Amino acid sequence: MSQLLDNLNPEQLAAVTLPPQHALILAGAGSGKTRVLTTRIAWLIQNGFCSAQGILAVTFTNKAAKEMLTRLSAMFPINTRGMWIGTFHGLCNRFLRAHHRDAGLPQLFQILDSGDQLAAIKRLLKTLNIDDEKFPPRDLQHFINGQKEAGLRPAAVEAWDDYTRRRVELYMEYEAQCQREAVVDFPELLLRSYELLERNEPIRRHYQARFRHILVDEFQDTNRLQYKWLSLLADGGSEGGASLFCVGDDDQSIYRFRGAEIGNMRDFERDFRVQRVIRLEQNYRSHGNILDAANALIGHNTKRLGKSLWTDRGPGEPIRVYEAFTDSDEARWIVEEIQSLVREGTSRADIALLYRSNAQSRVLEHQLFSSGVAYRVYGGLRFFERQEVKHALAYLRLIANPDDDTAFTRVVNFPTRGIGARSLEALQDAARVWNTPLYQTVPHLSGKPAAALGQFVALIERLRLETRDLPLHEMVDHVIEMSGLRAHYQLEKEGQERLENLDELINAAANFSAEVGAGPAPGEPAPEAGSVLAEFLAHASLEAGDHQADAGAEAVQLMTVHAAKGLEFDVVFLSGLEEELFPHGNSTQEADGLEEERRLMYVAVTRARQRLYLSFAQSRMLHGQVRYNLRSRFLEEIPEPLTKWLTPPNPRRSYVSEPSPRHYSQGAAKPAAPSMPPPPPQRSRDLGGFAIGQAVTHARFGDGVIIAAEGSGGDARVQVKFADAGAGSKWLMLAVAKLTPAS
């Protein structure tokens, strides 16, 4: 017994040895929550509060469940094989297998993963002859899953317009198709389990009596249906029901886009009349400066349950901050710093490069590849391997070489243009007869296949003609637009990331053009029109090659901040700390969006054990054009004594150029506007007709006044003070910002 509780700090010990009752454990990053959960289970069993079969433990990943079972086996001799420890989906699958008849399922029902579900929806739309442009399959998938996660069957969904009513009808048809085929998707596992428990009292009472202790990991990531499922098993908190032991961190709630409901933690406190809230605040991962920075950052959020991380490991090194001129300079500096760390003895596997958006990986990957530094993209594909990027490259390959059958088959019906399998089969048969590439075979066809495929060939020919004299990045932009790729992903509910990757491909083309040179060397002929495109396509193929580190090899880790949750590294680089990028530009348009971005920043900072680097760039390529951003407000929220600037901080790049609204209490009066009038307008032809002192309008930030300017022509930028206090003052590139004179 004593060995089981050895080396627990007082808060961990209090959580582990709580008598049977409902409890909320606020476990900060690196505070040992997995150890607390596992030891709690072992302590309950050893002290006779329940048997191993009386425990229900819910995790969010299969990896976490396996780790918990392994630790339990090492703690004391117990057969963990029959224990109910797993993910929500895994446990619900087990439950439905045991009660398949009551659930209205065959014993051998099959489970659809996300890809299988999407394929099933596409097949349904085709069967019903539904236009998949009006009802995009992926969007319909999100709609169906969203309703299920809200606990709603088609009959219960409110529909106030014809479009929603039609989607509800398709939801009903999809359900009927799944029932006929004896398949269930992931949300169905949970919904059907909940419905069976709710309507079948004998089964519900059986499991309520069996599971006396329910333990939940990552409770802040639960959705509403998961919370209701747990509540049902715990008999709603009534006397005699199971004890619900929930471990989570509201400061690390970053999955709202997946349906996670941070309000579940407060609801749990209220619904179950929780008497004990224990805070695990001692951190065993990071040094003090990193934790102090994380505490300061998250302190700007409201409605927190409240905790403050600390460590006895000492302050450690200051947080290093670097300001680069461009995103390429930023990547170059990061790679040089990595090479220096490796020479000093740091393992590549202990170094992570984090970024807010997947599209940011491209410039980092390019620099790592060019410098010969082994790397691995964690939890995702390398830039040039991503679906949307490969689609765009396939169109470009056809422009460069129409005989490329691989590129032809990839995009001939993407986005969908009514070219079915039969048409392609007829084309392939004709190609074998005529011994010609697919593209050249199209004129030999007749009938319906000839018409549909002829339109595709005409599209490629038109793209070739229209892009013949365009610079490379404009060519890529034009192809993405006119091929329909951009419009296709704009219709997807979660297509924003794919659009960002397409924009980054334009940036890659612009950077490639700059790297190969502005023109031919003296005495050399000018390159042929198609040679730059051919070289770029070769470059893309080489960077998509097998230079990524092999499995098991020591390599630098690249990942988004979302993917980094739950991981830790000795050294962390967090790049792209600029307004509109991190925090993401979309966050200001959403309720609680900025607070979720700050929680994401908190997660990023707390991944570092020993050394943390924060970097940003004065300018960054976006959509083939240079964009200027202010440095992220999150940098301003980190106390200055905790940081070490590797470059002199530029006050003009600061987000906080004047007191921010968040520094005033809710009831405080707004600061009075300055009584001094703005300077009189000073016309300058370098500003494209604009002038300092002129009133202007921006589509997003509203009305404002130009108060400063620099540069000229295509490089001109102005500082605009906007009337909206939330917008403040911003430097804007005139070529990009699309300012208009105020009416």
Side-chain angles (χ1 to χ4, degrees):
M1 177 69 69
S2 61
Q3 291 181 347
L4 188 65
L5 304 179
D6 283 350
N7 302 316
L8 294 176
N9 65 42
E11 290 76 22
Q12 290 173 332
L13 182 63
V16 167
T17 58
L18 271 178
Q21 60 181 282
H22 305 303
L24 178 61
I25 313 300
L26 293 178
S31 62
K33 65 180 177 64
T34 304
R35 184 183 183 189
V36 166
L37 272 167
T38 310
T39 310
R40 169 72 171 173
I41 294 171
W43 184 83
L44 287 169
I45 296 171
Q46 280 200 351
N47 284 271
F49 288 105
C50 65
S51 66
Q53 285 67 45
I55 296 285
L56 178 71
V58 188
T59 66
F60 263 79
T61 65
N62 289 313
K63 181 182 176 183
K66 289 177 182 177
E67 183 181 351
M68 194 175 290
L69 289 167
T70 302
R71 290 194 185 190
L72 278 171
S73 299
M75 284 180 174
F76 61 102
I78 184 176
N79 183 6
T80 60
R81 192 168 182 179
M83 293 186 69
W84 282 62
I85 298 178
T87 63
F88 279 103
H89 294 136
L91 294 170
C92 287
N93 173 55
R94 184 171 177 178
F95 172 76
L96 290 175
R97 296 286 178 192
H99 304 282
H100 62 91
R101 289 190 183 87
D102 297 291
L105 290 169
Q107 186 175 7
L108 300 178
F109 69 85
Q110 299 299 304
I111 299 172
L112 299 177
D113 62 21
S114 183
D116 294 333
Q117 184 191 23
L118 184 61
I121 290 171
K122 288 178 178 177
R123 182 159 43 85
L124 174 72
L125 294 176
K126 189 174 182 179
T127 303
L128 298 175
N129 199 25
I130 301 293
D131 185 358
D132 61 3
E133 291 190 359
K134 188 174 181 181
F135 296 93
R138 195 173 296 278
D139 190 46
L140 184 58
Q141 180 185 33
H142 288 298
F143 173 78
I144 292 170
N145 290 348
Q147 302 309 316
K148 288 188 178 186
E149 288 169 358
L152 300 175
R153 292 295 183 189
V157 178
E158 292 186 350
W160 301 101
D161 57 84
D162 291 340
Y163 185 72
T164 305
R165 277 192 284 272
R166 187 59 176 141
R167 288 204 295 180
V168 172
E169 291 170 3
L170 292 173
Y171 175 16
M172 190 177 299
E173 293 285 354
Y174 169 76
E175 280 207 323
Q177 175 179 285
C178 289
Q179 193 67 28
R180 283 195 308 271
E181 298 174 3
V183 295
V184 296
D185 51 46
F186 282 159
E188 182 70 20
L189 286 170
L190 189 63
L191 179 55
R192 196 168 291 222
S193 296
Y194 173 78
E195 289 173 338
L196 178 55
L197 285 169
E198 186 182 41
R199 70 168 184 263
N200 194 313
E201 186 176 353
I203 291 178
R204 182 174 71 252
R205 294 300 180 198
H206 168 77
Y207 283 97
Q208 287 174 342
R210 174 176 178 172
F211 298 128
R212 304 310 301 155
H213 292 270
I214 301 173
L215 301 93
V216 189
D217 192 13
E218 303 288 4
F219 188 61
Q220 78 279 351
D221 293 334
T222 53
N223 61 35
R224 291 307 298 175
L225 184 58
Q226 289 165 343
Y227 177 75
K228 289 168 69 176
W229 183 82
L230 291 167
S231 182
L232 202 57
L233 284 170
D235 202 12
S238 63
E239 190 174 345
S243 299
L244 198 50
F245 185 92
C246 297
V247 181
D249 183 2
D250 57 323
D251 293 334
Q252 294 190 74
S253 178
I254 59 173
Y255 294 123
R256 186 174 56 166
F257 64 95
R258 294 182 187 170
E261 179 55 66
I262 192 172
N264 286 346
M265 301 186 80
R266 292 189 177 276
D267 289 349
F268 171 57
E269 281 193 275
R270 182 189 65 248
D271 298 343
F272 286 78
R273 300 174 294 283
V274 175
Q275 302 298 313
R276 290 299 305 271
V277 177
I278 297 176
R279 290 168 170 80
L280 305 183
E281 298 175 308
Q282 185 174 358
N283 179 281
Y284 296 91
R285 175 187 300 160
S286 307
H287 286 114
N289 284 337
I290 294 170
L291 297 180
D292 289 345
N295 289 331
L297 276 163
I298 205 64
H300 286 74
N301 275 5
T302 60
K303 300 178 181 177
R304 295 175 60 229
L305 294 173
K307 65 180 183 314
S308 184
L309 299 177
W310 64 275
T311 184
D312 57 8
R313 298 183 64 192
E317 301 179 27
I319 297 167
R320 293 164 170 83
V321 184
Y322 183 82
E323 178 179 10
F325 291 109
T326 67
D327 49 351
S328 297
D329 292 333
E330 180 188 36
R332 193 176 301 110
W333 169 78
I334 289 173
V335 173
E336 288 173 355
E337 195 70 19
I338 289 172
Q339 290 172 319
S340 176
L341 289 167
V342 171
R343 284 194 297 270
E344 293 170 4
T346 304
S347 169
R348 292 183 186 88
D350 290 329
I351 302 174
L353 273 62
L354 308 186
Y355 35 82
R356 173 63 180 86
S357 169
N358 255 314
Q360 293 172 252
S361 78
R362 201 266 322 160
V363 67
L364 295 168
E365 286 186 63
H366 175 66
Q367 194 60 46
L368 288 162
F369 172 63
S370 302
S371 303
V373 177
Y375 74 92
R376 184 178 296 108
V377 179
Y378 181 91
L381 297 171
R382 289 168 290 173
F383 180 79
F384 286 109
E385 291 178 340
R386 292 166 191 165
Q387 179 205 78
E388 58 279 8
V389 174
K390 294 187 76 170
H391 285 329
L393 290 173
Y395 278 103
L396 293 167
R397 284 164 57 186
L398 282 176
I399 291 173
N401 174 24
D403 295 342
D404 187 336
D405 282 0
T406 303
F408 184 97
T409 54
R410 182 177 188 91
V411 295
V412 65
N413 197 40
F414 192 94
T416 54
R417 48 178 62 92
I419 300 173
R422 288 187 179 179
S423 295
L424 286 177
E425 187 178 341
L427 179 64
Q428 289 163 346
D429 290 342
R432 283 192 290 271
V433 172
W434 290 92
N435 194 28
T436 53
L438 296 176
Y439 195 90
Q440 294 183 27
T441 309
V442 172
H444 297 296
L445 296 178
S446 59
K448 185 178 178 182
L453 288 162
Q455 289 179 0
F456 175 69
V457 168
L459 169 65
I460 300 300
E461 291 300 323
R462 188 169 72 251
L463 289 175
R464 182 181 292 110
L465 181 65
E466 292 171 349
T467 60
R468 185 172 56 192
D469 299 321
L470 292 179
L472 182 61
H473 73 279
E474 291 184 20
M475 175 191 292
V476 176
D477 189 10
H478 188 79
V479 167
I480 291 171
E481 190 70 38
M482 301 310 295
S483 66
L485 286 174
R486 189 179 303 280
H488 173 80
Y489 291 118
Q490 283 172 341
L491 291 172
E492 285 193 358
K493 185 178 177 74
E494 295 185 359
Q496 182 62 37
E497 188 173 291
R498 297 192 187 277
L499 290 170
E500 289 174 356
N501 284 331
L502 289 175
D503 285 343
E504 187 58 33
L505 182 63
I506 301 170
N507 299 342
N511 288 334
F512 179 81
S513 296
E515 287 178 8
V516 298
E524 291 186 3
E528 296 181 11
S531 65
V532 176
L533 174 59
E535 289 176 17
F536 175 66
L537 292 171
H539 159 79
S541 296
L542 289 170
E543 292 226 353
D546 294 329
H547 62 271
Q548 188 172 225
D550 296 330
E554 186 184 286
V556 175
Q557 306 292 309
L558 273 68
M559 66 193 76
T560 63
V561 181
H562 279 104
K565 187 168 180 288
L567 304 177
E568 56 186 76
F569 305 90
D570 285 348
V571 181
V572 169
F573 291 85
L574 178 58
S575 63
L577 278 169
E578 301 141 32
E579 288 292 307
E580 303 293 312
L581 191 57
F582 199 5
H584 198 282
N586 293 341
S587 65
T588 58
Q589 311 296 320
E590 303 170 0
D592 193 42
L594 185 57
E595 295 217 344
E596 177 132 342
E597 288 291 297
R598 190 173 284 110
R599 292 194 291 269
L600 197 57
M601 180 70 180
Y602 175 85
V603 168
V605 168
T606 54
R607 297 312 93 194
R609 288 192 286 252
Q610 298 172 11
R611 186 177 289 192
L612 176 63
Y613 293 88
L614 306 177
S615 63
F616 63 98
Q618 293 179 8
S619 65
R620 188 174 297 274
M621 293 287 288
L622 180 71
H623 206 66
Q625 295 181 324
V626 177
R627 182 176 73 177
Y628 295 88
N629 281 330
L630 300 175
R631 63 176 181 248
S632 172
R633 69 189 73 196
F634 298 151
L635 282 168
E636 317 298 335
E637 294 173 359
I638 298 175
E640 189 176 343
L642 303 177
T643 60
K644 177 183 179 182
W645 282 75
L646 305 180
T647 49
N650 184 353
R652 291 178 59 194
R653 308 285 315 164
S654 172
Y655 172 78
V656 187
S657 57
E658 58 184 358
S660 169
R662 67 174 177 271
H663 294 152
Y664 296 91
S665 65
Q666 194 171 3
K670 292 183 179 178
S675 58
M676 190 173 290
Q682 302 172 10
R683 289 280 165 199
S684 172
R685 42 185 191 178
D686 292 338
L687 299 181
F690 290 103
I692 296 176
Q694 183 177 0
V696 292
T697 299
H698 187 275
R700 180 169 178 184
F701 304 120
D703 295 333
V705 176
I706 298 175
I707 59 175
E710 65 179 31
S712 61
D715 294 327
R717 63 190 194 120
V718 296
Q719 188 180 19
V720 182
K721 181 174 176 59
F722 291 99
D724 184 354
S729 298
K730 296 185 182 293
W731 280 93
L732 303 171
M733 192 80 175
L734 280 176
V736 178
K738 297 181 179 177
L739 289 174
T740 57
S743 55

